[in-house]
Amino acid sequence: MDDLKNVKGIGPKALTLLQKININTIEDLVCHYPFRYDYLKRDNLLEVEDKGKIIIDGKIESVPILMRFKAGLNKMNFRLVTQSGVVGVSIFNRAFMKKDLEVGSGVTVIGKYDKTKNVITASEIKIGLLSNKVRIEPVYHTTSGLTNKNISTFINMALLMYGKHINDYIPSRYLEKYNFVNKRTALNIVHNPPSDEKLNEAKYRLKYEELFAFMYKINYLRKQNKNVAKGIRRNIDKKSLEKFMTELPFKLTNDQSKAVEDIIKDMESNSRMNRLLQGDVGSGKTIVSFIAMYVNSLCHYQSALMAPTEILAVQHYNNLKDLLKDTNIEVALLTGSTLKKEKTEIYKKLASGTIDIIIGTHALIQEDVNYNNLGLVVTDEQHRFGVNQRGNLQNKGLMPDILYMSATPIPRTYALTIYGDMDTSIIREKPMGRKPVKTYVKNSSEIKDVLQMMLDELKQHHQVYVIAPLIEDSENSNDLATVCDLRDKMKLAFGEYFKIDIVHGKMASKAKELIMQEFAQNKIQILISTTVIEVGVDVSNATTMVIFDANRFGLSTLHQLRGRVGRGSNESKCILISDNDTKRLSIMEKENDGFKISEEDFKLRGHGDLFGTKQSGDMCFKIASIRDDYDILLKAKADSEEYLKDEENDLELKKLLIDSMNTNY
Ligand code: ADP
Ligand code: MG
């Protein structure tokens, strides 16, 4: 398709601004969907304020008079008959519209109304009376220098010039089956909705298309894995493995053992491992991956473990070093802070095969690191990697086994869909000795009780987390609790006897680290923070968590937060303070299982936050939402499976779908 700059009206300046909001192609532009719609009612001339905004329709009464000025400017005037009276209309620089503004024809005029002159200075004139009494106005995400109107104009021009050539990813058989309109019509409707009914139909069709393409890719990857990808068939020295397992610092839980079994089977078979290891925070996924890497080393292959943050990478490195200290397996750490000289050395050793296991951030696989014989890649916190990254790994010419680990509890039915290209192992039970966290939902009028509960714990020399949705008042529009405000209040209540401090995302990482360290050493007894407590905080003496305005969070987030207490042998408490939404929150009182909580969250939808925010590459849909459009997703899943099976047809579209893998999502 043509370049964006060839769309009439898009100059160099607009081009840069569009790029700023990630619009680089004509397809990006026409698929820049409104994030909401405003419903504008028709005004009455008598009720609009002087110089106020007006939207009104009527019939043209006089032939428009066109005046031209220097510098190419022009102005047009005509009279309009409306239900509330006759009014003058002027509009600048629309000479090209003159031929459409015939006497007697109906138009909708949007502009500012000057009462004394009885003239509307129009910013926009739409030809035709709309059948309903409201006008549905698309509202777009934009950037400064680019108005909503600009975007709308560009989109409509692009549709006019190139609408016919925009890729439609829905095979014709499904277009027919569901009686869908074609892509161009659907796009026209979502950008210029004539009615709610038409808009919903068009949105449904575009959502289906997006989900169909997504599911096609997932199914394609699965098929690739099954048919094409040859894996490494290993002969595992079972004696060494058994010895290693008995020397572990603890006995594995049943679920952990089962996961290890699954992985060993994958490693012995000649089809490639592509496994997702799911387990709640603290369920003990790490040790399972360590065992897999140990086995891989036994068979003389290299392993790479990728963690989402440097802190986690270092933690894994230290733990693994410790676990393997009696072996001759060489473990190395490679992160952004590794010195250049050291890095070069590590690269060399990876290429020669001297290093057996490398641990780092996921740059490990993106950079041009050469391995001698990479046999296993483990990625921690898989939900941060999208489908395309899954694809990337495969396309790099590497054929290692892959083990993904994720702590995001996803309902099973749902996991089967979006992780449909992977096998899964699930760890449900927690290691022995963990007591469930007692959870209470409290009204804000019960704050005295809450303070008393805190005091009881503090008196036993235990520590307390306090969570607020916001940092300080300046960002506060709804009277929500803030970290700074709570610090002052907690100081009033407890400051005389206990040390109180705060930590939040806007602090420098050094300062954060220091506070966390002091909390870990019990130099701070009450720590107030936002949800952004550093990953991997593990303070077993902290037994209580108090969450203010708890209704602001999804259940899964609350569950993750709660996971920071209940780590020691003491019984722990979590107190959720909220005046609203208490029925939903009460699920937390009954449930301690992350999977069950996410199922509940999923059923309730509105507040579900299965993936946290913006974390998952899988969530970057333009119009569909995996959460809200689950029924469409299931349809798209079934159809794409059927479509993939049928090998002969539509080769061109199939290639298009696969190619879109690296550009979309
Ligand atoms: P996650 O699944 O969240 O990554 P980790 O692997 O970090 O959890 O494990 C959490 C803690 O539990 C670690 O300190 C780990 O050593 C410990 N652990 C893991 N498995 C067991 C077990 N079977 N018995 C006792 N402790 C365990
Ligand atoms: Mg972990």
Side-chain angles (χ1 to χ4, degrees):
M1 190 156 355
D2 218 341
D3 275 352
L4 196 55
K5 65 174 192 296
N6 295 333
V7 175
K8 230 157 90 189
I10 300 186
K13 199 178 135 232
L15 203 63
T16 341
L17 289 171
L18 286 170
Q19 274 161 3
K20 242 179 156 170
I21 49 174
N22 263 330
I23 297 176
N24 299 301
T25 66
I26 289 172
E27 193 161 339
D28 292 344
L29 179 63
V30 297
C31 296
H32 185 68
Y33 299 116
F35 70 93
R36 70 179 159 88
Y37 292 90
D38 280 346
Y39 286 74
L40 303 179
K41 278 218 223 50
R42 293 304 187 287
D43 294 308
N44 181 315
L45 283 175
L46 309 171
E47 285 166 9
V48 175
E49 282 171 44
D50 188 29
K51 307 274 190 326
K53 204 174 167 198
I54 188 168
I55 167 164
I56 195 162
D57 41 33
K59 281 189 177 164
I60 298 179
E61 197 195 45
S62 66
V63 178
I65 298 168
L66 181 64
M67 286 171 283
R68 293 186 188 277
F69 308 106
K70 268 188 271 182
L73 300 178
N74 61 68
K75 180 180 170 185
M76 216 161 21
N77 294 330
F78 59 87
R79 275 198 316 279
L80 186 74
V81 185
T82 77
Q83 291 203 330
S84 46
V86 179
V87 64
V89 176
S90 13
I91 187 156
F92 288 92
N93 301 326
R94 301 294 154 87
F96 62 89
M97 282 184 83
K98 188 169 188 305
K99 60 179 189 317
D100 300 318
L101 300 175
E102 288 170 10
V103 173
S105 61
V107 291
T108 303
V109 173
I110 300 158
K112 270 197 184 142
Y113 183 44
D114 185 323
K115 263 202 154 136
T116 34
K117 290 187 195 153
N118 190 31
V119 167
I120 298 172
T121 306
S123 56
E124 202 180 333
I125 296 177
K126 295 256 170 190
I127 310 293
L129 290 167
L130 301 175
S131 53
N132 53 354
K133 278 272 174 270
V134 285
R135 188 178 124 87
I136 310 172
E137 181 130 311
V139 184
Y140 298 96
H141 281 300
T142 181
T143 179
S144 102
L146 208 57
T147 63
N148 200 60
K149 183 81 205 314
N150 290 147
I151 293 187
S152 165
T153 310
F154 295 155
I155 289 173
N156 283 310
M157 184 50 80
L159 282 173
L160 194 71
M161 292 172 71
Y162 304 104
K164 261 194 254 168
H165 306 291
I166 289 162
N167 288 329
D168 189 338
Y169 295 100
I170 306 180
S172 52
R173 68 176 88 165
Y174 301 114
L175 284 176
E176 277 161 31
K177 178 175 168 191
Y178 298 114
N179 218 348
F180 284 146
V181 294
N182 68 33
K183 177 86 167 252
R184 182 189 193 177
T185 309
L187 289 172
N188 259 320
I189 291 171
V190 293
H191 293 298
N192 308 281
S195 68
D196 265 337
E197 200 190 348
K198 284 260 185 300
L199 175 61
N200 288 336
E201 276 173 28
K203 270 163 87 174
Y204 189 97
R205 182 250 188 255
L206 293 169
K207 286 174 175 182
Y208 173 88
E209 178 181 11
E210 199 169 27
L211 293 168
F212 179 87
F214 173 76
M215 285 314 308
Y216 184 85
K217 289 174 200 179
I218 298 264
N219 290 319
Y220 171 81
L221 287 175
R222 174 172 50 200
K223 197 167 157 189
Q224 279 289 92
N225 274 331
K226 290 256 157 16
N227 297 355
V228 186
K230 272 252 164 9
I232 305 164
R233 176 186 224 137
R234 294 173 183 79
N235 282 320
I236 298 168
D237 170 5
K238 289 280 162 62
K239 265 217 176 109
S240 302
L241 175 59
E242 256 160 49
K243 183 163 172 291
F244 183 73
M245 300 285 277
T246 52
E247 284 167 4
L248 290 176
F250 39 71
K251 193 172 172 302
L252 294 187
T253 62
N254 289 332
D255 285 349
Q256 283 174 320
S257 303
K258 176 74 178 52
V260 169
E261 259 174 52
D262 290 344
I263 290 166
I264 300 271
K265 252 189 223 144
D266 287 346
M267 293 176 97
E268 287 175 326
S269 100
N270 64 358
S271 63
R272 186 176 180 211
M273 170 158 76
N274 189 38
R275 184 168 292 279
L276 174 69
L277 178 59
Q278 253 193 303
D280 218 344
V281 185
S283 63
K285 296 181 292 294
T286 319
I287 190 74
V288 174
S289 73
F290 284 1
I291 294 167
M293 292 195 288
Y294 172 76
V295 170
N296 192 47
S297 305
L298 278 185
C299 305
H300 310 291
Y301 288 101
Q302 291 173 301
S303 312
L305 168 61
M306 302 188 285
T309 65
E310 196 164 326
I311 295 177
L312 266 182
V314 173
Q315 192 181 301
H316 286 328
Y317 173 74
N318 289 330
N319 289 339
L320 186 61
K321 276 284 264 200
D322 193 43
L323 194 69
L324 299 180
K325 62 181 184 295
D326 298 328
T327 69
N328 53 10
I329 295 170
E330 176 99 18
V331 186
L333 177 70
L334 183 64
T335 71
S337 340
T338 309
L339 298 174
K340 192 149 181 253
K341 206 175 135 207
E342 221 177 313
K343 249 187 201 167
T344 323
E345 192 63 22
I346 289 175
Y347 287 159
K348 238 193 257 167
K349 285 184 173 171
L350 279 173
S352 68
T354 326
I355 292 174
D356 302 298
I357 298 175
I358 181 91
I359 295 177
T361 49
H362 66 266
L364 274 186
I365 210 80
Q366 287 169 346
E367 280 169 22
D368 286 325
V369 186
N370 289 312
Y371 292 86
N372 184 4
N373 58 352
L374 185 64
L376 174 66
V377 174
V378 181
T379 72
D380 198 5
E381 298 306 335
Q382 195 283 329
H383 60 283
R384 295 181 188 221
F385 297 89
V387 176
N388 285 335
Q389 272 138 324
R390 292 183 223 164
N392 274 348
L393 260 178
Q394 330 218 358
N395 296 338
K396 269 205 119 151
L398 297 171
M399 281 296 154
D401 285 334
I402 302 176
L403 178 65
Y404 304 94
M405 300 195 284
S406 173
T408 317
I410 301 169
R412 189 179 149 70
T413 41
Y414 180 53
L416 281 177
T417 313
I418 68 159
Y419 295 128
D421 59 322
M422 301 180 204
D423 299 315
T424 49
S425 300
I426 300 182
I427 306 182
R428 282 177 183 277
E429 46 176 341
K430 293 268 168 75
M432 293 266 283
R434 301 261 173 88
K435 295 193 183 119
V437 179
K438 277 221 159 124
T439 303
Y440 309 85
V441 178
K442 296 269 181 192
N443 203 281
S444 62
S445 63
E446 296 171 283
I447 189 75
K448 274 211 174 118
D449 297 349
V450 177
L451 294 175
Q452 186 60 50
M453 288 166 92
M454 288 173 68
L455 186 62
D456 291 345
E457 289 296 318
L458 290 163
K459 274 186 180 161
Q460 297 179 53
H461 309 288
H462 296 155
Q463 291 158 278
V464 179
Y465 291 104
V466 176
I467 308 287
L470 299 174
I471 301 173
E472 54 197 349
D473 258 339
S474 62
E475 35 172 359
N476 206 346
S477 51
N478 303 318
D479 233 13
L480 296 173
T482 71
V483 170
C484 293
D485 188 37
L486 283 175
R487 171 186 51 194
D488 299 343
K489 286 186 176 149
M490 291 295 160
K491 277 196 172 159
L492 272 179
F494 301 109
E496 208 174 321
Y497 302 103
F498 302 103
K499 187 149 187 267
I500 298 157
D501 219 322
I502 61 173
V503 65
H504 56 74
K506 283 191 185 158
M507 285 163 63
S509 48
K510 267 264 149 54
K512 265 194 291 192
E513 235 167 74
L514 198 71
I515 299 276
M516 289 316 307
Q517 213 174 340
E518 286 186 3
F519 188 65
Q521 294 163 348
N522 200 358
K523 288 180 183 161
I524 295 170
Q525 284 78 46
I526 303 178
L527 184 66
I528 307 167
S529 97
T530 52
T531 55
V532 219
I533 319 180
E534 205 62 62
V535 194
V537 183
D538 195 3
V539 182
S540 55
N541 190 49
T543 55
T544 304
M545 172 168 283
V546 181
I547 304 177
F548 281 81
D549 290 313
N551 58 309
R552 299 288 294 193
F553 305 108
L555 297 183
S556 300
T557 301
L558 291 172
H559 178 67
Q560 302 266 350
L561 282 169
R562 179 170 66 178
R564 292 173 208 279
V565 292
R567 293 180 161 252
S569 48
N570 297 306
E571 184 159 279
S572 293
K573 298 188 182 88
C574 176
I575 303 156
L576 306 174
I577 303 178
S578 172
D579 297 341
N580 310 310
D581 219 2
T582 44
K583 188 160 171 262
R584 180 175 70 98
L585 293 174
S586 71
I587 293 170
M588 300 294 294
E589 293 179 323
K590 291 175 219 110
E591 232 9 289
N592 257 290
D593 177 333
F595 284 93
K596 292 213 178 109
I597 286 171
S598 80
E599 298 272 4
E600 293 294 333
D601 222 359
F602 194 61
K603 273 188 228 152
L604 293 167
R605 294 201 167 173
H607 290 275
D609 61 345
L610 299 172
F611 290 91
T613 43
K614 286 190 211 150
Q615 279 191 351
S616 165
D618 293 342
M619 285 292 276
C620 298
F621 289 100
K622 284 185 168 149
I623 191 161
S625 143
I626 287 194
R627 198 179 68 213
D628 299 334
D629 302 318
Y630 191 60
D631 49 336
I632 312 179
L633 180 71
L634 289 183
K635 234 181 230 179
K637 177 177 186 259
D639 293 343
S640 65
E641 276 163 12
E642 172 191 80
Y643 187 61
L644 189 69
K645 268 197 206 116
D646 159 27
E647 310 238 328
E648 311 292 304
N649 288 318
D650 289 351
L651 293 180
E652 221 167 288
L653 177 59
K654 284 180 177 163
K655 186 170 177 308
L656 205 65
L657 278 163
I658 292 160
D659 284 348
S660 78
M661 189 136 22
N662 291 318
T663 53
N664 291 345
Y665 313 122

